[in-house]
Amino acid sequence: ECCVYHIASIFTPTEDHCQMALDNVKGTEDLMNAVVQMKNNVIDNDNNDNNIRVVVTSSTAAVRGPNQTPQNGKYYTHEDWNTA
């Protein structure tokens, strides 16, 4: 069994918030593609029933945009995503 932790993302003052978000999404997509490739090329070839667990951490920046309030008016849920 293997566990991959993705704990990094770009979060810095910038004029281009959309590009920063796109770069972060691409980084996560690249990681997931690498995990799939590793499973297909390495783990499955071991003839074992191995699993890969992926843990992706984030921050409220993924949910909350500037001047954005929770849809329910109280707290953020899976229904809220950064609209930037």
Side-chain angles (χ1 to χ4, degrees), residues 13-33:
T14 180
E15 294 294 320
D16 194 348
H17 300 285
C18 289
Q19 185 60 51
M20 183 173 60
L22 290 171
D23 291 343
N24 285 328
V25 169
K26 181 167 180 353
T28 303
E29 288 175 339
D30 290 348
L31 172 74
M32 295 308 296
N33 288 330

